[in-house]
Amino acid sequence: MALVEVRTDGDIGTLVLDNGRKHNALSHALVDELIAALADFRQREIRAVVLRAQPGVKVWSAGHDVGELPEGRRDPLGWDDPLRELVRAIETHPAPIIAMIEGTVWGGAVETVLACDIVIATPETTFAVTPARLGVPYNVSGMMTFMSAASLRVVKELAFTAAPIGAERAERVGMINHVVPLSDLETFSYDMARTIAANAPLSIAVMKEQLRVLAGAKPVSPRGFEKVQGLRRVVYDSHDYAEGIRAFKEKRAPRYLGK
Ligand code: YXS
């Protein structure tokens, strides 16, 4: 059974997360369907994409599928991790992707939303950056996604507290584009998609790629990168990382020891 509903209407494509049983957790299978649909949209020269969940969801996406995270001794967010592949697919897709959000967004799904080009949410929407809640060592390019979306101070607050940020505040700090009432969300999002689709697709695709290259152009020395990777290994080899994953699966509060 499909985990993503794929629709097109003229030059506009829609991807609907449709695995409510697991709150649209970004499992390997669901991510594979999203990536395949984006490849098909590229082939069909779709000019604007709306990424959404089924209407009425309480949880837009619960983030990375925790059941698919290693329990230690391996980088949980390595290059070929589905979440990493999804973020890259979104960032390199030639057409703008509008994230149309209702409900709560968690962990890697927050990064997925922020990797989209435009974010439109309802006042009830919240975003929670959760690595610290689970003891996960988030990866370098993922932290860059957050840093491109909000000031360093806001990123630190979201990362260190793991507390949800409401859509109104997220808009106020420039992390998302618009907050509109649920009753207007669909019309507002698709009006913007139609506006984009009526513009010059080549110009838009090149500007999107220019902005991706320029936003990611941060000088990180090989030594600096290796240091960060080494620090991340300390985390994913730690007691606390294994404890965070186990606590989630056992539906209990984690007991972190700082080692
Ligand atoms: O117990 P069953 O089998 O019915 O399954 C439950 C949950 O275990 C499952 N589920 C998930 N399964 C895998 N990965 C997930 N991320 C995930 N989230 C939920 O879905 C079934 C229904 O969940 P339940 O009973 O908790 O629903 P609820 O309505 O009471 O609560 C909804 C949430 C979203 C508040 C709650 O499910 C929740 O807190 N989920 C985890 C949110 C989270 O921490 N996500 C981060 C995942 S890790 C990640 O994204 C990155 C690696 S990182 O952390 O570094 O950013």
Side-chain angles (χ1 to χ4, degrees):
M1 185 264 250
L3 302 173
V4 176
E5 185 188 333
V6 183
R7 299 197 294 259
T8 57
D9 175 10
D11 292 327
I12 294 169
T14 297
L15 302 173
V16 188
L17 303 178
D18 192 14
N19 186 17
R21 193 185 60 74
K22 285 185 81 172
H23 289 314
N24 295 329
L26 299 176
S27 63
H28 210 139
L30 185 146
V31 168
D32 282 351
E33 288 187 30
L34 285 173
I35 292 175
L38 284 174
D40 177 53
F41 284 176
R42 179 193 291 260
Q43 193 69 30
R44 296 162 67 181
E45 297 183 342
I46 289 292
R47 294 188 177 182
V49 179
V50 175
L51 174 62
R52 60 172 299 172
Q54 286 295 2
V57 290
K58 291 287 168 275
V59 179
W60 192 84
S61 171
H64 199 299
D65 186 328
V66 176
E68 295 183 356
L69 286 172
E71 294 207 357
R73 305 280 172 231
R74 186 163 63 82
D75 188 339
L77 294 172
W79 177 260
D80 58 356
D81 174 81
L83 173 64
R84 304 314 328 147
E85 290 182 335
L86 176 58
V87 167
R88 290 197 298 269
I90 289 171
E91 290 177 336
T92 55
H93 187 72
I97 300 176
I98 297 172
M100 181 181 130
I101 314 292
E102 59 180 297
T104 56
V105 187
W106 302 82
V110 175
E111 188 197 349
T112 300
V113 167
L114 296 179
C116 291
D117 300 290
I118 294 165
V119 183
I120 303 168
T122 68
E124 300 73 30
T125 299
T126 60
F127 303 91
V129 176
T130 54
R133 181 179 182 202
L134 285 162
V136 169
Y138 218 73
N139 69 303
V140 177
S141 63
M143 296 308 275
M144 287 277 286
T145 307
F146 291 124
M147 288 174 69
S148 295
S151 70
L152 185 59
R153 203 165 303 290
V154 169
V155 171
K156 285 182 177 181
E157 178 188 330
L158 297 181
F160 300 163
T161 65
I165 180 174
E168 307 279 6
R169 175 150 183 251
E171 183 194 31
R172 206 165 49 244
V173 300
M175 198 171 121
I176 67 174
N177 299 73
H178 297 279
V179 179
V180 299
L182 179 59
S183 55
D184 300 339
L185 180 64
E186 189 153 335
T187 305
F188 188 93
S189 301
Y190 280 90
D191 283 352
M192 187 174 289
R194 276 186 286 274
T195 300
I196 291 170
N199 286 333
L202 279 182
S203 166
I204 289 172
V206 168
M207 284 192 286
K208 176 171 174 176
E209 181 59 5
Q210 280 175 326
L211 290 168
R212 183 188 71 79
V213 170
L214 292 170
K218 301 276 191 299
V220 177
S221 68
R223 189 189 299 266
F225 179 75
E226 285 168 358
K227 176 184 178 190
V228 168
Q229 286 299 86
L231 290 173
R232 294 187 60 244
R233 183 182 193 119
V234 170
V235 178
Y236 65 73
D237 278 355
S238 70
H239 158 277
D240 282 2
Y241 172 73
E243 166 63 9
I245 302 294
R246 241 192 332 265
F248 179 85
K249 290 177 179 175
E250 295 166 6
K251 299 186 185 297
R252 62 172 172 80
R255 287 179 296 279
Y256 292 131
L257 306 177
K259 60 180 180 184

